[in-house]
């Protein structure tokens, strides 16, 4: 291989968490890496999310193991790249006896290692500020980490450039990949291997492969609320999350909960709403979310949906929601058949798309797998 500035061992398309994870895994092997990103900085799902590395409740096949590995890498990277871990742990507040029964069953599985089921009085003692009415039980998991994605992702890119010599080409769109050549909006780049990590851009590169894999798009509504004046015990979820996360939802006990939620919170289920409340270092709360499945990105936030999310916040905290500071929409790629697509559209080219809305939790593990398969 020559040392021409246009020649690399690996080209990565996309500077979201999946692209940066591939870049890190390759850079750790001392490969020469270029990351090519259409925008001036990452502004896709990877900076619009909760920044939550979720382990407990993740679907066993394809997600849970990867989440455990990714959490380890986040810990290493956070320390080295100066990315604060802003809080840890997960607090699932169950307000229905069906949820408590489901959590009880979950606690008997190996995926609950390190988790505890708290009685309502133990939970109130631990966090008196959360005054959930009709609380049945709380699942406490110590495994989750949270970073502030909008700061963490740029820091990760800066650190890769500074400490590993990764080259970044910002504001550069890749129009075609014909390995070893990539055609970009700023000329050709050559690389021995290419990993395309386009997030939910399903039309620019290999659209036929993405369509054949059944990949579509999901749009989510998000809010940031002012500091409520108290500290959360960890990231907070409620009953609705138990029918969304595969590690819970696949248990036989989930059927009874699903039926009850459909009758009591049918509108929430129709909008794909479940509650996640994640606290930032300034005390503000990132709160969401909803899930609407449509190939077109939805530009307009629906106030009715935001109202439902805030009602669930009120039910779980027992407190009125603080003022809304920010609202935004996020989108990510989805497919019903798989958690992640790793495809080989050409020799030495991999197309990598997380299709289950858990890229912050699994990206580092996926990056290691892809790079080891390409370079071992
Ligand atoms: C609101 C919301 C909340 C979420 N919460 C969580 C969470 O708490 N925990 C969790 O694990 N996951 C969460 N997710 C999911 C997670 O954010 C995604 O799975 C992950 O960010 C996907 O990363 P990515 O790198 O594939 O995509 P992206 O972050 O979208 O990055 C893809 C990048 O590729 C670039 N690109 C695409 N095509 C080209 C091209 N041809 N040329 C140049 N550049 C190109 C794009 O500009 C983009 O920057 C959430 C997602 C959303 C939207």
């Amino acid at each position: 291989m020559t040392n021409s500035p246009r020649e690399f061992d690996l080209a990565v398309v996309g500077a979201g968490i999946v692209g940066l994870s591939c870049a890190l895994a390759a850079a750790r092997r001392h490969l020469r890496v270029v990351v090519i990103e259409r925008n001036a900085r990452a502004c896709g799902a990877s900076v619009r999310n909760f920044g939550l590395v979720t382990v407990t409740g993740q679907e066993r096949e394809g997600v849970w193991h990867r989440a455990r590995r990714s959490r380890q890498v986040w810990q290493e990277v956070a320390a080295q790249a100066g990315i604060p871990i802003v809080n840890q742990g997960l607090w699932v507040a169950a307000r229905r006896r069906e949820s408590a029964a489901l959590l009880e069953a979950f606690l008997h599985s190996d995926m609950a290692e390190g988790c505890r089921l708290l009685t309502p009085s133990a939970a109130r003692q631990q966090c008196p500020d959360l005054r959930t009415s009709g609380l049945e039980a709380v699942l406490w998991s110590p495994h989750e980490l949270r970073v502030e994605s909008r700061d963490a992702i740029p820091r990760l890119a800066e650190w890769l450039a500074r400490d590993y010599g990764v080259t970044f080409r910002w504001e550069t769109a890749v129009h075609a990949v014909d390995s070893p050549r990539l055609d970009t909006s700023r000329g050709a780049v050559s690389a021995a291997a290419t990993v395309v990590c386009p997030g939910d851009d399903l039309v620019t590169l290999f659209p036929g492969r993405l369509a054949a894999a059944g990949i579509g798009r999901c749009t989510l509504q998000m809010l940031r609320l002012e500091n409520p004046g108290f500290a959360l015990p960890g990231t907070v979820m409620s009953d609705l999350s138990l029918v969304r996360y595969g590690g819970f939802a696949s248990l036989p006990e989930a059927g009874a909960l699903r039926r009850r939620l459909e009758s009591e919170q049918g509108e929430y289920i129709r909008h794909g709403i479940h509650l996640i409340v994640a606290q930032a270092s300034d005390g503000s709360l990132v709160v969401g979310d909803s899930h609407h499945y449509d190939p077109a990105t939805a530009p307009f936030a629906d106030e009715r949906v935001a109202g439902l999310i805030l009602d669930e916040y009120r039910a779980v905290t027992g407190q009125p929601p603080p003022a809304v500071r920010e609202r935004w929409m996020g989108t990510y790629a989805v497919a019903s058949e798989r958690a992640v697509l790793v495809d080989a559209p050409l020799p030495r080219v991999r197309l990598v798309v997380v299709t289950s809305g858990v890229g912050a939790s699994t990206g580092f593990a996926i990056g290691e797998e892809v790079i080891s398969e390409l370079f071992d």
Side-chain angles (χ1 to χ4, degrees), residues 118-261:
L118 308 179
T119 61
S121 64
R124 285 197 187 94
Q125 237 172 1
Q126 206 161 312
C127 188
D129 292 308
L130 290 181
R131 295 194 291 268
T132 309
S133 69
L135 190 64
E136 289 279 341
V138 166
L139 178 77
W140 164 251
S141 160
H143 303 304
E144 285 59 34
L145 302 180
R146 181 174 180 265
V147 297
E148 194 64 58
S149 293
R150 66 173 69 176
D151 303 327
I153 296 297
R155 278 195 198 194
L156 184 53
E158 281 161 25
W159 172 68
L160 285 170
R162 189 183 64 237
D163 285 25
Y164 285 99
V166 171
T167 301
F168 280 84
R169 299 268 163 85
W170 300 105
E171 296 184 89
T172 306
V174 178
H175 299 316
V177 178
D178 187 10
S179 188
R181 180 188 160 100
L182 289 85
D183 287 328
T184 86
S185 53
R186 294 177 192 269
V189 170
S190 94
T194 299
V195 183
V196 178
C197 309
D200 68 328
D201 180 332
L202 308 178
V203 297
T204 307
L205 299 172
F206 308 111
R209 308 289 290 217
L210 295 167
I215 300 184
R217 177 178 283 118
C218 178
T219 299
L220 301 84
Q221 277 187 226
M222 299 283 284
L223 303 152
R224 185 182 290 265
L225 309 184
E226 296 294 352
N227 185 344
F230 59 84
L232 294 181
T235 295
V236 171
M237 295 187 187
S238 74
D239 308 51
L240 289 160
S241 301
L242 299 175
V243 294
R244 282 206 73 87
Y245 281 94
F248 302 125
S250 60
L251 293 172
E253 289 76 5
L257 175 61
R258 195 171 289 109
R259 284 190 293 280
R260 183 155 174 202
L261 289 172

Side-chain angles (χ1 to χ4, degrees), residues 13-19 36-39 42-46 48-52 54 172-174 197-201 204-205 220 222 289 330-332 354 357-361:
V13 182
I17 186 62
V18 177
I36 308 169
E37 164 60 50
R38 167 185 288 134
N39 289 297
C43 49
S46 301
R48 298 177 190 215
N49 60 25
F50 293 94
L52 184 60
T54 313
T172 306
V174 178
C197 309
D200 68 328
D201 180 332
T204 307
L205 299 172
L220 301 84
M222 299 283 284
D289 53 12
T331 56
Y332 60 65
V354 174
V358 293
S361 308

Side-chain angles (χ1 to χ4, degrees), residues 66-141:
R66 285 173 170 146
R68 283 158 63 97
R69 173 62 192 150
S70 297
R71 181 198 50 191
Q72 261 177 356
V73 179
W74 268 113
Q75 276 170 323
E76 295 159 17
V77 163
Q80 291 166 23
I83 297 172
I85 304 276
V86 290
N87 55 52
Q88 301 200 25
L90 175 65
W91 175 281
V92 186
R95 310 200 303 282
R96 292 169 178 84
R97 62 177 192 287
E98 291 83 350
S99 307
L102 172 56
L103 291 176
E104 187 77 51
F106 177 76
L107 220 65
H108 289 107
S109 75
D110 60 337
M111 296 204 297
E113 182 258 317
C115 298
R116 283 187 295 137
L117 200 57
L118 308 179
T119 61
S121 64
R124 285 197 187 94
Q125 237 172 1
Q126 206 161 312
C127 188
D129 292 308
L130 290 181
R131 295 194 291 268
T132 309
S133 69
L135 190 64
E136 289 279 341
V138 166
L139 178 77
W140 164 251
S141 160

